[in-house]
């Protein structure tokens, strides 16, 4: 995510919309498949990377590189839940093309704005591909090894010199925003470590997952009542926290905690399982802040920006990740279903009312009851994920290395990956706008009281 996440608002793309909503019966798998097929086609219509002269794994302006990685995560989920492999070829092409050098989703043309969170979203897509048994591409790094490579490049970046630990937002110290330790970067690292621990059974991943989660708690990024805040600055030694809440931070930790509970249960560690179960229960309860729209209780809302019209292109996709990881959590911790599924069902039905066929098919504000005439990649992804998560009964759940996994394991993938000579491409005007002036203002805005401008209702 880029500095624009905090400053650019009202960025929806107005497109022609369908005259009628999608029909969705949340109790009928065929109805859900039919609805998701329409929405997935709308997601695909935004993607141009497979066209002659374009770059696989990139979305057109104004979308950032990380969002394309996240988008392919939605399409991996779509194939997994529905069995429709229409988009598997472009998904594999994009993932392989963006491996970069070092081979850990670090393409050099992204260096001037590359964050740990950006890299991690591609890594989580590779992890999903491994868990969902998407076949590896012959002659290329396996999907599991790509997720490992992200872990192996991020673990050495753990920075105890300030705030007692944590990952900085940006990978390279020369990038603006490096001094911000944000929850999504640390949460994504936690998520990947936890899921790798569950998949491989390797205790090192579990140790790092626990370390990351407990560090976030220690500095207040995770509150005692399981709310997840945006980030904190090492300039103040993480003594002040930006209290904006985003859906994706809750979701990324929910699924990571579910992976840790599942692992602990599998190994018979009842004490550790009880700790993670309590955390999952708290996280689920804490997500109530995102389902409390007075017009439509139980319908997901990005409380920080939907009502005030300040959701930027990044933020318009955030509900996709909460929906994605709520579904994943129910698969690996089935006892959560009773507390998660009602809100997902209500939100999916509301999202369908906002959706029709085509590139501009889905709107942003599901709680309004009809299409709000805003459209974009994020809107499409969010609707897709919340609908297809209703299909959890149609799949067996994510595999592991000894429980059906087919992706090859290279535990050394990405080792030493930060020891590279960075060749910077010329910085464009767009890069300067996103990573220059805005980031110079970021700390004054967040810690000077400006956060309230984009908080809830």
């Amino acid at each position: 995510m880029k500095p624009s996440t905090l400053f650019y608002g009202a960025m929806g793309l107005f497109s022609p919309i369908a005259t009628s909503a999608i029909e969705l019966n949340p109790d009928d798998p065929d109805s859900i498949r039919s609805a998701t097929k329409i929405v997935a086609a709308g997601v695909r219509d935004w993607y141009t990377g497979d066209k002659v002269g374009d770059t696989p794994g990139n979305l057109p302006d104004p979308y950032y590189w990380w969002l394309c990685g996240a988008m392919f995560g939605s399409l991996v989920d779509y194939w997994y839940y529905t069995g429709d492999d229409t988009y598997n070829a472009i998904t594999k092409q994009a993932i392989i093309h963006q491996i970069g050098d070092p081979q850990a989703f670090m393409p050099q043309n992204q260096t001037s704005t590359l964050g740990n969170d950006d890299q991690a979203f591609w890594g989580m897509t590779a992890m999903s591909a491994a868990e969902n048994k998407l076949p590896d591409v012959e002659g290329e790094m396996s999907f599991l090894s790509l997720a490992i490579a992200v872990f192996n490049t991020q673990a050495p970046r753990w920075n105890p010199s300030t705030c007692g630990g944590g990952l900085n937002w940006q990978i390279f110290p020369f990038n603006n925003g490096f001094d911000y330790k944000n929850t999504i970067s640390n949460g994504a690292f936690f998520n990947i470590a936890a899921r790798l621990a569950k998949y491989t059974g390797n205790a090192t991943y579990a140790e790092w997952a626990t370390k990351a989660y407990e560090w976030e708690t220690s500095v207040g990024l995770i509150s005692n009542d399981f709310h997840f805040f945006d980030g904190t600055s090492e300039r103040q030694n993480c003594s002040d926290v930006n209290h904006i809440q985003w859906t994706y931070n809750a979701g990324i930790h929910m699924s990571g905690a579910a992976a840790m509970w599942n692992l602990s249960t599998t190994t018979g560690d009842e004490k550790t399982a009880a700790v993670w179960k309590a955390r999952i229960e708290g996280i689920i309860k804490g997500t109530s802040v995102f389902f409390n729209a007075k017009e439509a209780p139980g319908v997901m809302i990005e409380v920080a920006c939907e009502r005030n019209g300040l959701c930027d292109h990044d933020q318009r996709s955030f509900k996709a990740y909460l929906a994605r990881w709520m579904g994943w959590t129910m698969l690996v911790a089935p006892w959560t279903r009773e507390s998660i599924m009602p809100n997902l069902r209500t939100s999916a039905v509301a999202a369908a009312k906002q959706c029709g066929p085509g590139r501009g098919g889905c709107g942003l504000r599901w709680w309004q009851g009809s299409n709000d005439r805003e459209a974009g990649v994020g809107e499409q992804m969010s609707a897709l994920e919340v609908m297809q998560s209703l299909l959890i009964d149609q799949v067996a759940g994510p595999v592991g290395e000894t429980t059906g996994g087919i992706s090859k394991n290279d535990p050394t993938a990405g080792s030493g990956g930060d020891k590279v000579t960075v060749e910077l491409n010329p910085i464009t005007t767009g890069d300067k706008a996103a990573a220059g002036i805005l980031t110079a203002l970021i700390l004054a805005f967040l810690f000077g009281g400006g956060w309230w401008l984009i908080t809830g209702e």
Side-chain angles (χ1 to χ4, degrees):
M1 274 49 64
K2 297 295 166 256
S4 62
T5 297
L6 298 168
F7 290 89
Y8 291 165
M11 294 291 286
L13 302 181
F14 290 84
S15 302
I17 60 172
T19 57
S20 60
I22 291 176
E23 295 291 333
L24 175 67
N25 179 352
D27 296 315
D28 181 358
D30 288 336
S31 174
I32 300 168
R33 291 189 191 95
S34 295
T36 56
K37 184 173 183 177
I38 294 169
V39 180
V43 172
R44 197 272 181 262
D45 283 349
W46 287 96
Y47 180 63
T48 60
D50 61 326
K51 297 185 183 302
V52 176
D54 211 328
T55 303
N58 280 353
L59 282 163
D61 289 338
Y63 296 107
Y64 285 110
W65 173 76
W66 82 271
L67 186 57
C68 195
M71 181 197 78
F72 281 112
S74 293
L75 293 179
V76 168
D77 286 348
Y78 172 72
W79 163 72
Y80 178 62
Y81 281 121
T82 68
D84 182 355
D85 65 359
T86 299
Y87 310 112
N88 285 10
I90 60 169
T91 297
K92 291 181 177 182
Q93 179 196 43
I95 291 173
I96 297 305
H97 194 86
Q98 293 298 331
I99 290 175
D101 183 17
Q103 293 181 306
F105 295 120
M106 294 179 64
Q108 291 203 351
N109 64 352
Q110 298 296 329
T111 300
S112 64
T113 57
L114 186 61
N116 280 301
D117 50 353
D118 305 325
Q119 180 193 26
F121 265 89
W122 281 92
M124 288 185 288
T125 290
M127 191 73 232
S128 293
E131 292 168 336
N132 295 347
K133 298 176 67 173
L134 185 68
D136 291 337
V137 178
E138 187 174 354
E140 302 288 351
M141 286 183 70
S142 71
F143 295 125
L144 177 61
S145 294
L146 284 167
I148 292 171
V150 172
F151 172 86
N152 282 342
T153 54
Q154 292 200 348
R157 297 178 197 144
W158 188 262
N159 181 13
S161 65
T162 58
C163 310
L167 290 180
N168 293 69
W169 175 20
Q170 296 297 302
I171 291 176
F172 301 108
F174 51 75
N175 280 345
N176 288 306
F178 178 81
D179 54 334
Y180 195 56
K181 295 194 176 185
N182 60 344
T183 301
I184 192 59
S185 292
N186 287 280
F189 177 68
F190 160 69
N191 183 285
I192 291 173
R195 290 161 67 188
L196 283 173
K198 176 187 175 300
Y199 191 103
T200 67
N202 188 317
T204 299
Y205 298 131
E207 290 166 4
W208 271 104
T210 300
K211 182 177 182 177
Y213 187 96
E214 292 181 351
W215 176 82
E216 289 186 87
T217 300
S218 72
V219 297
L221 296 180
I222 304 173
S223 71
N224 291 333
D225 57 351
F226 299 98
H227 293 283
F228 297 83
F229 305 125
D230 187 78
T232 184
S233 173
E234 65 180 11
R235 291 189 183 183
Q236 288 87 32
N237 200 35
C238 299
S239 61
D240 200 359
V241 173
N242 165 23
H243 284 88
I244 298 174
Q245 296 186 64
W246 303 109
T247 49
Y248 71 162
N249 280 327
I252 208 167
H253 289 86
M254 183 190 299
S255 55
M260 293 298 287
W261 173 84
N262 185 284
L263 172 67
S264 301
T265 301
T266 301
T267 59
D269 187 347
E270 295 181 4
K271 183 178 179 180
T272 301
V275 170
W276 286 108
K277 183 175 183 180
R279 288 170 174 169
I280 296 166
E281 290 172 337
I283 294 169
I284 294 171
K285 184 177 180 180
T287 61
S288 62
V289 68
F290 304 116
F291 295 94
N292 66 354
K294 55 183 175 291
E295 300 90 343
V299 174
M300 195 185 301
I301 176 175
E302 198 66 61
V303 295
C305 64
E306 279 190 23
R307 289 194 178 281
N308 56 28
L310 295 178
C311 293
D312 69 15
H313 294 304
D314 287 352
Q315 295 152 8
R316 289 164 183 268
S317 73
F318 287 179
K319 290 186 294 187
Y321 318 123
L322 177 55
R324 174 188 300 176
W325 288 316
M326 289 174 84
W328 198 93
T329 296
M330 289 188 290
L331 286 170
V332 302
W335 54 268
T336 63
R337 179 174 181 144
E338 185 176 347
S339 56
I340 290 177
M341 185 57 85
N343 282 339
L344 270 185
R345 284 170 56 92
T346 303
S347 297
V349 171
K353 293 178 181 178
Q354 277 272 351
C355 282
R359 185 171 183 265
C362 295
L364 174 67
R365 300 173 182 88
W366 301 342
W367 44 272
Q368 282 193 353
S370 60
N371 196 299
D372 61 3
R373 303 189 67 85
E374 296 194 43
V377 177
E379 288 90 333
Q380 290 291 135
M381 288 171 56
S382 296
L384 178 62
E385 289 280 13
V386 77
M387 292 179 193
Q388 64 196 17
S389 291
L390 301 184
L391 292 170
I392 61 168
D393 291 335
Q394 309 303 308
V395 295
V399 300
E401 196 163 28
T402 61
T403 55
I406 60 174
S407 193
K408 295 179 181 178
N409 185 348
D410 177 6
T412 67
S415 298
D418 278 346
K419 298 176 182 178
V420 295
T421 301
V422 177
E423 298 177 4
L424 293 177
N425 289 341
I427 297 177
T428 66
T429 301
D431 289 332
K432 292 178 181 178
I437 297 172
L438 294 176
T439 307
L441 299 174
I442 190 172
L443 292 176
F445 181 82
L446 295 179
F447 300 108
W451 63 270
W452 64 269
L453 291 173
I454 55 175
T455 54
E457 302 182 8

